[in-house]
Amino acid sequence: MNGAETLITALNANSVDVCFANPGTSEMQLVAAIDTAPDMRAILCLFEGVVTGAADGYGRMADRPALTLLHLGPGLGNGTANLHNAKRAGSPVLNMVGDHATYHLQYDAPLTADVKGFAKPVSDWVGVSKSPGNLAGTGLKALGEAMRYPGQVATFIAPADHAWSTAQRTRSELTVPSVPRADSTGIEDAANALKADGEVVLYLGGRALREDALWQAGRIAAATGARLICETFTARLQRGAGRVPVERLPYFGEQAADALKDVTAMVCVGANPPVSFFAYPGKPSWLTPEETILIELADRTVDAEDALVRLADALDAPPEPVALQRAAAPPPDDGPLAPVGIGQAVAQLMPQNAIVSDEAATAGLAMFPSTAGAPAHDWLMLTGGSIGQGLPLAIGAAVACPDRKVIALQADGSAMYTLQSLWTMARENLDVTTIILNNGSYAILNIELQRVGVENPGPKALSLLDLTNPAIDWVSLAKGMGVSAKKASTVAEFQTALEAALNLKGPALIEACIS
Amino acid sequence: MNGAETLITALNANSVDVCFANPGTSEMQLVAAIDTAPDMRAILCLFEGVVTGAADGYGRMADRPALTLLHLGPGLGNGTANLHNAKRAGSPVLNMVGDHATYHLQYDAPLTADVKGFAKPVSDWVGVSKSPGNLAGTGLKALGEAMRYPGQVATFIAPADHAWSTAQRTRSELTVPSVPRADSTGIEDAANALKADGEVVLYLGGRALREDALWQAGRIAAATGARLICETFTARLQRGAGRVPVERLPYFGEQAADALKDVTAMVCVGANPPVSFFAYPGKPSWLTPEETILIELADRTVDAEDALVRLADALDAPPEPVALQRAAAPPPDDGPLAPVGIGQAVAQLMPQNAIVSDEAATAGLAMFPSTAGAPAHDWLMLTGGSIGQGLPLAIGAAVACPDRKVIALQADGSAMYTLQSLWTMARENLDVTTIILNNGSYAILNIELQRVGVENPGPKALSLLDLTNPAIDWVSLAKGMGVSAKKASTVAEFQTALEAALNLKGPALIEACIS
């Protein structure tokens, strides 16, 4: 065996069975080794941002990592934006990055770069193979780190000569770090804070937003009257009919501060205390009132469900939540297409157990409430703020959950960053319905321009926020990459197109023209 | 004035007049400030890799930097691959990267990242503004570093509160570092080496490949019989009819080693000694014979033309080169389309003074010789090996040289990394003819797979190198972004399409179907 084969075999033996890849010459042995692992699937993406975003989506839905295959420093560089998002999501992601043969580095050939330097800002853990015999062990160590609760971005660097040289099958074994638990004093403090008079909040993020954890949060609400609020951008929120509903913290700082203005006590589970997404002149970054009692019971690296169970028990909470979301999907009124109507149509037509990848930006904020009563589903969001995540995330979710329908709600400007995703959806026949919300604008920036205090933007500034000249024709772009597509300008057109797309088992795109 | 206005005004006053931008909320004041600089052009790109690649192309053709505008760490991350290429090209590039307001960083909001960490692997110089009053000075310092001969990637980080706070017009002035000259001993050693018996070579890169420097190299060849060889991938080679011709070092290591096997002495100007692009098992990385006398007269940071003039004079070289390239553009034979025929058709139809952006990979290696006798032109190549450079580079070249025709020779696989470039070409009506060489494959990797010693690649490995399922339809992709496009499968079809595209003043795309 060569080093590459020992590595891929060891990872595959430890349940790594998907590799999202965009390889180059220095990774050819790693590529060839995939064929020696019968249970590993290889999925080509035509840009590295698609690779890493897909691994994020896979990790969120599978709760175990996919492998990525990236070409040296610059290939990793192209994947960094979505790794940033994955790191912020707490997703398990295992990056395998090729490098030149160790003896070749001294010659400073054109692709030579500081691979570790590229990796560090976007990885929770970085390792470098030290020898052909060490390559598989390094990969397994990285796999263990990727699986550290709730999930980490772990990157290991595989020099080409370690991959191609002869090596023995590794004796290393997988070690997954144990999950820290909230300490008992914290549980007690939290219980006391929630029992006190005033407006009390359970602020939830990370794994606290899975169905079972939310059930416990619902018990706590039943015992204390606490409001349940989740982070504005969450990795994976299990919601819809029959589940415990949570309020979503508004995106805009003023609105968020207003939503929290009367909060006397807040207990955070799976999340840090709420802060403003961006800074704005004269507006606060910290969103809770100064006098709010804050109990940071469990940050996202601490077992969220365990903390909630123990907190509920400490409160002698009833066995059932105070309320579950009732099914409600009122049909939209016909007329020109707008986000609320799209949200209503999606809620009405989406199948049970769908997965929504929401990178719909301004439009997404409007669609979220109108899908509250839809059949139970998972809602995945842009956790790190770096746009171009939504379509790759949909790929990964579809690969992780081949029996579930994936719906990508995708803003037009953001979609352009990783539009190559459509090709992989077509190649793998992934069951993804992509809805492009085409408003011909970076709409959010037109709002933000005002909010940061720019009063009279000039024509050059405005041109940088505009996507209409030329208008982007998403039906043609989809066709160019093998995905069938339809354009819709009215609610009725949209409903017809959506029904057809959802009935298809495979990829489809709807260009929703909104104003 | 606010800090952003002092910065943009100062840069504009020092001849920075183009900004390739992909901004976000934290850069809104920088965006607004562009309108206060009447001579600064703002060009929106829909992905950061387009921004940085365009700045590279602009820098290569203008010999002064464009400004980029990038959004925080992940936005810079998306631009790193083409910054790697720019750094390897020795291009002047001035990156302006926004960051959160300084006081906001402590809250670790979702987009918070180690911006400097993202910048370091791809920048020759990194600076961070320390205060609103320091922002313009930091920008000017970066500008000076970007202009350090032959050009550098200089990145400065602009916190949002430094941009929006009040600041005085800066008193800082631009300082451009002086250009180091080759030392006299080196000139003497080089002259002696070239006068000795045997096969002597002048190995050229960087600024040694501009027309005037090549003239001097031609004089040296006339005096000594030296072969003139250039690096395989050069930032900007001025070639074609009437210019001093140079051999191009072959890409594949074995062929390169063979081309150099009898070399007794080599003098390097604007380049380091030749090494293999990748390492291969059992093949040498170092390409010159062990016994070759190597004189590293001037690496690329040393004034190349000065070194060549002094070397020519030290050799009492005649005033004229031994030979100039004669005009020769034989028409291609009709038949199925292949790279040689495309090269011949391009050579035959291209106007005087065209700029060629060559990221045609395997096809490009074949087209290069067939364009040797074309009208004088500049040939720009992929200097850092990170694919996705060609189309952005064409944008930058077209902005820098609005009166010259730009021809992008672009491999299909590579084109997919930064296809968003087509939209900017349409928006700015750039005079670029893009030729997509569609062979439905990462063809180079099918060759490399064998060369690294993979003997019987399995179906999963081969699937990762294949682009045919689904086939990419470039005519639709171009249409989707507002660029008119034609498909050509025969030489005659290609000639007709190329003639029409070259006669148009504006962007056009030809999908050349090759096997």
Side-chain angles (χ1 to χ4, degrees), chain A residues 114-156:
Chain A
D114 176 9
V115 184
K116 220 171 156 177
F118 277 93
K120 275 187 180 169
V122 292
S123 304
D124 297 290
W125 186 90
V126 182
V128 185
S129 168
K130 302 294 177 220
S131 68
N134 176 244
L135 181 55
T138 305
L140 285 176
K141 175 79 179 140
L143 174 56
E145 289 296 331
M147 294 174 76
R148 185 187 288 271
Y149 181 93
Q152 291 200 127
V153 175
T155 303
F156 71 97

mmCIF file of all heavy atoms in Angstrom, chain A residues 114-156:
data_model
loop_
_atom_site.group_PDB
_atom_site.id
_atom_site.type_symbol
_atom_site.label_atom_id
_atom_site.label_comp_id
_atom_site.label_asym_id
_atom_site.label_seq_id
_atom_site.Cartn_x
_atom_site.Cartn_y
_atom_site.Cartn_z
ATOM 1 N N ASP A 114 2.234 28.891 1.879
ATOM 2 C CA ASP A 114 2.139 28.544 3.293
ATOM 3 C C ASP A 114 0.773 27.897 3.553
ATOM 4 O O ASP A 114 -0.170 28.562 3.970
ATOM 5 C CB ASP A 114 2.319 29.831 4.109
ATOM 6 C CG ASP A 114 2.145 29.602 5.603
ATOM 7 O OD1 ASP A 114 2.062 28.429 6.046
ATOM 8 O OD2 ASP A 114 2.079 30.608 6.335
ATOM 9 N N VAL A 115 0.685 26.610 3.287
ATOM 10 C CA VAL A 115 -0.616 25.923 3.372
ATOM 11 C C VAL A 115 -1.200 26.044 4.785
ATOM 12 O O VAL A 115 -2.384 26.292 4.965
ATOM 13 C CB VAL A 115 -0.485 24.435 2.978
ATOM 14 C CG1 VAL A 115 -1.854 23.765 2.976
ATOM 15 C CG2 VAL A 115 0.164 24.288 1.612
ATOM 16 N N LYS A 116 -0.343 25.883 5.764
ATOM 17 C CA LYS A 116 -0.795 26.003 7.153
ATOM 18 C C LYS A 116 -1.327 27.417 7.427
ATOM 19 O O LYS A 116 -2.316 27.589 8.140
ATOM 20 C CB LYS A 116 0.403 25.715 8.063
ATOM 21 C CG LYS A 116 0.060 24.900 9.269
ATOM 22 C CD LYS A 116 1.315 24.472 10.010
ATOM 23 C CE LYS A 116 0.983 24.199 11.457
ATOM 24 N NZ LYS A 116 2.148 23.706 12.202
ATOM 25 N N GLY A 117 -0.659 28.404 6.863
ATOM 26 C CA GLY A 117 -1.116 29.786 7.013
ATOM 27 C C GLY A 117 -2.513 29.987 6.429
ATOM 28 O O GLY A 117 -3.340 30.691 7.009
ATOM 29 N N PHE A 118 -2.779 29.359 5.274
ATOM 30 C CA PHE A 118 -4.124 29.424 4.703
ATOM 31 C C PHE A 118 -5.135 28.746 5.629
ATOM 32 O O PHE A 118 -6.277 29.178 5.744
ATOM 33 C CB PHE A 118 -4.169 28.711 3.343
ATOM 34 C CG PHE A 118 -3.712 29.525 2.164
ATOM 35 C CD1 PHE A 118 -2.405 29.486 1.714
ATOM 36 C CD2 PHE A 118 -4.614 30.336 1.488
ATOM 37 C CE1 PHE A 118 -1.989 30.220 0.612
ATOM 38 C CE2 PHE A 118 -4.207 31.072 0.382
ATOM 39 C CZ PHE A 118 -2.889 31.022 -0.049
ATOM 40 N N ALA A 119 -4.713 27.647 6.253
ATOM 41 C CA ALA A 119 -5.654 26.823 7.025
ATOM 42 C C ALA A 119 -6.048 27.458 8.354
ATOM 43 O O ALA A 119 -7.193 27.342 8.800
ATOM 44 C CB ALA A 119 -5.054 25.445 7.262
ATOM 45 N N LYS A 120 -5.086 28.099 8.999
ATOM 46 C CA LYS A 120 -5.290 28.510 10.391
ATOM 47 C C LYS A 120 -6.510 29.377 10.650
ATOM 48 O O LYS A 120 -7.273 29.098 11.580
ATOM 49 C CB LYS A 120 -4.025 29.204 10.909
ATOM 50 C CG LYS A 120 -3.007 28.208 11.435
ATOM 51 C CD LYS A 120 -1.859 28.950 12.088
ATOM 52 C CE LYS A 120 -0.815 27.988 12.627
ATOM 53 N NZ LYS A 120 0.407 28.709 13.023
ATOM 54 N N PRO A 121 -6.734 30.454 9.873
ATOM 55 C CA PRO A 121 -7.866 31.318 10.231
ATOM 56 C C PRO A 121 -9.226 30.629 10.150
ATOM 57 O O PRO A 121 -10.192 31.135 10.705
ATOM 58 C CB PRO A 121 -7.781 32.457 9.191
ATOM 59 C CG PRO A 121 -6.400 32.427 8.663
ATOM 60 C CD PRO A 121 -5.962 30.993 8.744
ATOM 61 N N VAL A 122 -9.312 29.498 9.472
ATOM 62 C CA VAL A 122 -10.626 28.870 9.268
ATOM 63 C C VAL A 122 -10.706 27.462 9.851
ATOM 64 O O VAL A 122 -11.674 26.744 9.601
ATOM 65 C CB VAL A 122 -10.990 28.810 7.762
ATOM 66 C CG1 VAL A 122 -11.222 30.214 7.232
ATOM 67 C CG2 VAL A 122 -9.917 28.096 6.956
ATOM 68 N N SER A 123 -9.702 27.075 10.609
ATOM 69 C CA SER A 123 -9.696 25.713 11.162
ATOM 70 C C SER A 123 -9.632 25.767 12.677
ATOM 71 O O SER A 123 -8.930 26.593 13.252
ATOM 72 C CB SER A 123 -8.477 24.935 10.645
ATOM 73 O OG SER A 123 -8.443 24.915 9.238
ATOM 74 N N ASP A 124 -10.335 24.836 13.324
ATOM 75 C CA ASP A 124 -10.193 24.680 14.771
ATOM 76 C C ASP A 124 -8.956 23.860 15.099
ATOM 77 O O ASP A 124 -8.432 23.945 16.206
ATOM 78 C CB ASP A 124 -11.436 23.980 15.331
ATOM 79 C CG ASP A 124 -12.700 24.792 15.129
ATOM 80 O OD1 ASP A 124 -12.837 25.833 15.795
ATOM 81 O OD2 ASP A 124 -13.535 24.406 14.292
ATOM 82 N N TRP A 125 -8.505 23.071 14.144
ATOM 83 C CA TRP A 125 -7.360 22.189 14.353
ATOM 84 C C TRP A 125 -6.646 22.030 13.012
ATOM 85 O O TRP A 125 -7.283 21.884 11.973
ATOM 86 C CB TRP A 125 -7.843 20.819 14.854
ATOM 87 C CG TRP A 125 -6.750 19.863 15.235
ATOM 88 C CD1 TRP A 125 -6.183 19.729 16.463
ATOM 89 C CD2 TRP A 125 -6.094 18.913 14.382
ATOM 90 N NE1 TRP A 125 -5.205 18.752 16.430
ATOM 91 C CE2 TRP A 125 -5.130 18.237 15.172
ATOM 92 C CE3 TRP A 125 -6.212 18.577 13.027
ATOM 93 C CZ2 TRP A 125 -4.297 17.242 14.657
ATOM 94 C CZ3 TRP A 125 -5.392 17.590 12.510
ATOM 95 C CH2 TRP A 125 -4.440 16.926 13.320
ATOM 96 N N VAL A 126 -5.320 22.090 13.039
ATOM 97 C CA VAL A 126 -4.520 21.904 11.822
ATOM 98 C C VAL A 126 -3.396 20.925 12.126
ATOM 99 O O VAL A 126 -2.715 21.052 13.151
ATOM 100 C CB VAL A 126 -3.881 23.226 11.332
ATOM 101 C CG1 VAL A 126 -3.096 23.000 10.035
ATOM 102 C CG2 VAL A 126 -4.935 24.305 11.118
ATOM 103 N N GLY A 127 -3.202 19.949 11.277
ATOM 104 C CA GLY A 127 -2.096 19.004 11.431
ATOM 105 C C GLY A 127 -1.390 18.765 10.097
ATOM 106 O O GLY A 127 -1.991 18.954 9.036
ATOM 107 N N VAL A 128 -0.136 18.385 10.192
ATOM 108 C CA VAL A 128 0.656 18.116 8.991
ATOM 109 C C VAL A 128 1.258 16.721 9.116
ATOM 110 O O VAL A 128 1.867 16.402 10.143
ATOM 111 C CB VAL A 128 1.803 19.147 8.844
ATOM 112 C CG1 VAL A 128 2.553 18.937 7.526
ATOM 113 C CG2 VAL A 128 1.278 20.571 8.933
ATOM 114 N N SER A 129 1.098 15.910 8.110
ATOM 115 C CA SER A 129 1.710 14.573 8.123
ATOM 116 C C SER A 129 3.234 14.698 8.164
ATOM 117 O O SER A 129 3.813 15.529 7.470
ATOM 118 C CB SER A 129 1.287 13.802 6.869
ATOM 119 O OG SER A 129 2.068 12.640 6.727
ATOM 120 N N LYS A 130 3.859 13.856 8.984
ATOM 121 C CA LYS A 130 5.318 13.933 9.156
ATOM 122 C C LYS A 130 6.076 12.911 8.320
ATOM 123 O O LYS A 130 7.294 13.005 8.160
ATOM 124 C CB LYS A 130 5.679 13.705 10.638
ATOM 125 C CG LYS A 130 5.030 14.674 11.623
ATOM 126 C CD LYS A 130 5.519 16.098 11.436
ATOM 127 C CE LYS A 130 4.810 17.070 12.373
ATOM 128 N NZ LYS A 130 4.496 18.343 11.714
ATOM 129 N N SER A 131 5.379 11.880 7.851
ATOM 130 C CA SER A 131 6.038 10.818 7.076
ATOM 131 C C SER A 131 4.946 9.991 6.399
ATOM 132 O O SER A 131 3.775 10.065 6.784
ATOM 133 C CB SER A 131 6.846 9.920 8.006
ATOM 134 O OG SER A 131 5.961 9.180 8.851
ATOM 135 N N PRO A 132 5.333 9.162 5.412
ATOM 136 C CA PRO A 132 4.324 8.300 4.781
ATOM 137 C C PRO A 132 3.593 7.453 5.817
ATOM 138 O O PRO A 132 2.367 7.298 5.748
ATOM 139 C CB PRO A 132 5.153 7.436 3.829
ATOM 140 C CG PRO A 132 6.363 8.258 3.515
ATOM 141 C CD PRO A 132 6.666 9.041 4.763
ATOM 142 N N GLY A 133 4.327 6.951 6.801
ATOM 143 C CA GLY A 133 3.713 6.103 7.811
ATOM 144 C C GLY A 133 2.836 6.867 8.790
ATOM 145 O O GLY A 133 2.044 6.276 9.526
ATOM 146 N N ASN A 134 3.001 8.169 8.808
ATOM 147 C CA ASN A 134 2.247 9.023 9.736
ATOM 148 C C ASN A 134 0.984 9.615 9.100
ATOM 149 O O ASN A 134 0.123 10.179 9.788
ATOM 150 C CB ASN A 134 3.194 10.148 10.207
ATOM 151 C CG ASN A 134 2.524 11.179 11.102
ATOM 152 O OD1 ASN A 134 2.428 12.337 10.724
ATOM 153 N ND2 ASN A 134 2.049 10.762 12.255
ATOM 154 N N LEU A 135 0.859 9.450 7.766
ATOM 155 C CA LEU A 135 -0.238 10.130 7.057
ATOM 156 C C LEU A 135 -1.614 9.656 7.553
ATOM 157 O O LEU A 135 -2.481 10.470 7.885
ATOM 158 C CB LEU A 135 -0.092 9.914 5.545
ATOM 159 C CG LEU A 135 -1.141 10.563 4.645
ATOM 160 C CD1 LEU A 135 -1.246 12.063 4.880
ATOM 161 C CD2 LEU A 135 -0.824 10.295 3.173
ATOM 162 N N ALA A 136 -1.796 8.361 7.653
ATOM 163 C CA ALA A 136 -3.106 7.847 8.084
ATOM 164 C C ALA A 136 -3.394 8.257 9.523
ATOM 165 O O ALA A 136 -4.525 8.644 9.860
ATOM 166 C CB ALA A 136 -3.152 6.329 7.944
ATOM 167 N N GLY A 137 -2.379 8.192 10.381
ATOM 168 C CA GLY A 137 -2.569 8.592 11.778
ATOM 169 C C GLY A 137 -2.944 10.057 11.893
ATOM 170 O O GLY A 137 -3.796 10.435 12.711
ATOM 171 N N THR A 138 -2.330 10.894 11.057
ATOM 172 C CA THR A 138 -2.665 12.322 11.055
ATOM 173 C C THR A 138 -4.119 12.527 10.620
ATOM 174 O O THR A 138 -4.849 13.326 11.208
ATOM 175 C CB THR A 138 -1.711 13.093 10.116
ATOM 176 O OG1 THR A 138 -0.370 12.813 10.508
ATOM 177 C CG2 THR A 138 -1.946 14.584 10.177
ATOM 178 N N GLY A 139 -4.522 11.769 9.617
ATOM 179 C CA GLY A 139 -5.905 11.848 9.154
ATOM 180 C C GLY A 139 -6.892 11.418 10.232
ATOM 181 O O GLY A 139 -7.933 12.053 10.426
ATOM 182 N N LEU A 140 -6.556 10.360 10.965
ATOM 183 C CA LEU A 140 -7.456 9.894 12.031
ATOM 184 C C LEU A 140 -7.520 10.876 13.196
ATOM 185 O O LEU A 140 -8.572 11.090 13.795
ATOM 186 C CB LEU A 140 -7.007 8.519 12.542
ATOM 187 C CG LEU A 140 -7.317 7.338 11.622
ATOM 188 C CD1 LEU A 140 -6.741 6.056 12.207
ATOM 189 C CD2 LEU A 140 -8.828 7.196 11.403
ATOM 190 N N LYS A 141 -6.373 11.466 13.504
ATOM 191 C CA LYS A 141 -6.351 12.494 14.558
ATOM 192 C C LYS A 141 -7.265 13.663 14.144
ATOM 193 O O LYS A 141 -8.063 14.168 14.943
ATOM 194 C CB LYS A 141 -4.899 12.959 14.754
ATOM 195 C CG LYS A 141 -4.709 14.099 15.728
ATOM 196 C CD LYS A 141 -4.753 13.651 17.178
ATOM 197 C CE LYS A 141 -4.522 14.839 18.108
ATOM 198 N NZ LYS A 141 -5.380 14.802 19.295
ATOM 199 N N ALA A 142 -7.144 14.063 12.882
ATOM 200 C CA ALA A 142 -7.991 15.150 12.372
ATOM 201 C C ALA A 142 -9.462 14.751 12.427
ATOM 202 O O ALA A 142 -10.322 15.566 12.805
ATOM 203 C CB ALA A 142 -7.587 15.503 10.941
ATOM 204 N N LEU A 143 -9.757 13.507 12.072
ATOM 205 C CA LEU A 143 -11.140 13.037 12.110
ATOM 206 C C LEU A 143 -11.703 13.135 13.533
ATOM 207 O O LEU A 143 -12.827 13.611 13.739
ATOM 208 C CB LEU A 143 -11.214 11.593 11.601
ATOM 209 C CG LEU A 143 -12.575 10.888 11.706
ATOM 210 C CD1 LEU A 143 -13.667 11.672 10.986
ATOM 211 C CD2 LEU A 143 -12.485 9.468 11.140
ATOM 212 N N GLY A 144 -10.915 12.728 14.502
ATOM 213 C CA GLY A 144 -11.348 12.846 15.901
ATOM 214 C C GLY A 144 -11.627 14.285 16.277
ATOM 215 O O GLY A 144 -12.637 14.600 16.933
ATOM 216 N N GLU A 145 -10.756 15.178 15.840
ATOM 217 C CA GLU A 145 -10.953 16.600 16.146
ATOM 218 C C GLU A 145 -12.176 17.163 15.414
ATOM 219 O O GLU A 145 -12.897 17.993 15.951
ATOM 220 C CB GLU A 145 -9.702 17.405 15.803
ATOM 221 C CG GLU A 145 -8.527 17.146 16.748
ATOM 222 C CD GLU A 145 -8.820 17.576 18.191
ATOM 223 O OE1 GLU A 145 -9.611 18.514 18.407
ATOM 224 O OE2 GLU A 145 -8.244 16.955 19.113
ATOM 225 N N ALA A 146 -12.398 16.705 14.183
ATOM 226 C CA ALA A 146 -13.589 17.156 13.441
ATOM 227 C C ALA A 146 -14.857 16.749 14.184
ATOM 228 O O ALA A 146 -15.870 17.446 14.149
ATOM 229 C CB ALA A 146 -13.592 16.581 12.027
ATOM 230 N N MET A 147 -14.789 15.601 14.895
ATOM 231 C CA MET A 147 -15.975 15.079 15.580
ATOM 232 C C MET A 147 -16.115 15.598 17.010
ATOM 233 O O MET A 147 -17.053 15.231 17.715
ATOM 234 C CB MET A 147 -15.942 13.544 15.560
ATOM 235 C CG MET A 147 -16.082 13.006 14.134
ATOM 236 S SD MET A 147 -15.883 11.201 14.015
ATOM 237 C CE MET A 147 -17.478 10.680 14.645
ATOM 238 N N ARG A 148 -15.192 16.427 17.438
ATOM 239 C CA ARG A 148 -15.327 17.022 18.774
ATOM 240 C C ARG A 148 -16.643 17.817 18.819
ATOM 241 O O ARG A 148 -16.882 18.660 17.970
ATOM 242 C CB ARG A 148 -14.124 17.944 19.054
ATOM 243 C CG ARG A 148 -14.106 18.517 20.463
ATOM 244 C CD ARG A 148 -13.005 19.555 20.630
ATOM 245 N NE ARG A 148 -11.669 18.987 20.666
ATOM 246 C CZ ARG A 148 -11.034 18.571 21.769
ATOM 247 N NH1 ARG A 148 -11.626 18.663 22.944
ATOM 248 N NH2 ARG A 148 -9.822 18.081 21.696
ATOM 249 N N TYR A 149 -17.458 17.539 19.808
ATOM 250 C CA TYR A 149 -18.795 18.134 19.927
ATOM 251 C C TYR A 149 -18.738 19.660 19.898
ATOM 252 O O TYR A 149 -17.884 20.223 20.586
ATOM 253 C CB TYR A 149 -19.417 17.679 21.246
ATOM 254 C CG TYR A 149 -20.822 18.187 21.508
ATOM 255 C CD1 TYR A 149 -21.929 17.443 21.154
ATOM 256 C CD2 TYR A 149 -21.026 19.428 22.136
ATOM 257 C CE1 TYR A 149 -23.220 17.909 21.417
ATOM 258 C CE2 TYR A 149 -22.309 19.892 22.386
ATOM 259 C CZ TYR A 149 -23.394 19.132 22.026
ATOM 260 O OH TYR A 149 -24.665 19.590 22.284
ATOM 261 N N PRO A 150 -19.623 20.314 19.166
ATOM 262 C CA PRO A 150 -20.657 19.766 18.292
ATOM 263 C C PRO A 150 -20.120 19.395 16.913
ATOM 264 O O PRO A 150 -20.831 18.774 16.128
ATOM 265 C CB PRO A 150 -21.645 20.934 18.170
ATOM 266 C CG PRO A 150 -20.771 22.139 18.262
ATOM 267 C CD PRO A 150 -19.669 21.783 19.219
ATOM 268 N N GLY A 151 -18.887 19.761 16.632
ATOM 269 C CA GLY A 151 -18.270 19.566 15.335
ATOM 270 C C GLY A 151 -17.228 20.650 15.175
ATOM 271 O O GLY A 151 -17.395 21.767 15.679
ATOM 272 N N GLN A 152 -16.123 20.306 14.527
ATOM 273 C CA GLN A 152 -15.064 21.287 14.310
ATOM 274 C C GLN A 152 -14.580 21.186 12.872
ATOM 275 O O GLN A 152 -14.737 20.157 12.222
ATOM 276 C CB GLN A 152 -13.873 21.003 15.231
ATOM 277 C CG GLN A 152 -14.135 21.249 16.701
ATOM 278 C CD GLN A 152 -12.815 21.417 17.476
ATOM 279 O OE1 GLN A 152 -12.639 22.396 18.174
ATOM 280 N NE2 GLN A 152 -11.899 20.473 17.334
ATOM 281 N N VAL A 153 -13.927 22.254 12.441
ATOM 282 C CA VAL A 153 -13.219 22.201 11.166
ATOM 283 C C VAL A 153 -11.793 21.742 11.464
ATOM 284 O O VAL A 153 -11.037 22.447 12.134
ATOM 285 C CB VAL A 153 -13.209 23.577 10.471
ATOM 286 C CG1 VAL A 153 -12.367 23.518 9.201
ATOM 287 C CG2 VAL A 153 -14.631 24.025 10.150
ATOM 288 N N ALA A 154 -11.463 20.554 11.006
ATOM 289 C CA ALA A 154 -10.124 20.002 11.211
ATOM 290 C C ALA A 154 -9.465 19.823 9.849
ATOM 291 O O ALA A 154 -10.070 19.269 8.929
ATOM 292 C CB ALA A 154 -10.201 18.670 11.941
ATOM 293 N N THR A 155 -8.267 20.348 9.726
ATOM 294 C CA THR A 155 -7.570 20.359 8.447
ATOM 295 C C THR A 155 -6.252 19.620 8.581
ATOM 296 O O THR A 155 -5.488 19.903 9.512
ATOM 297 C CB THR A 155 -7.283 21.818 8.017
ATOM 298 O OG1 THR A 155 -8.529 22.527 7.952
ATOM 299 C CG2 THR A 155 -6.575 21.873 6.669
ATOM 300 N N PHE A 156 -5.999 18.680 7.691
ATOM 301 C CA PHE A 156 -4.666 18.069 7.691
ATOM 302 C C PHE A 156 -4.043 18.163 6.313
ATOM 303 O O PHE A 156 -4.722 18.178 5.293
ATOM 304 C CB PHE A 156 -4.688 16.632 8.232
ATOM 305 C CG PHE A 156 -5.329 15.629 7.327
ATOM 306 C CD1 PHE A 156 -4.565 14.836 6.489
ATOM 307 C CD2 PHE A 156 -6.699 15.450 7.335
ATOM 308 C CE1 PHE A 156 -5.152 13.883 5.660
ATOM 309 C CE2 PHE A 156 -7.298 14.503 6.511
ATOM 310 C CZ PHE A 156 -6.524 13.722 5.674
#
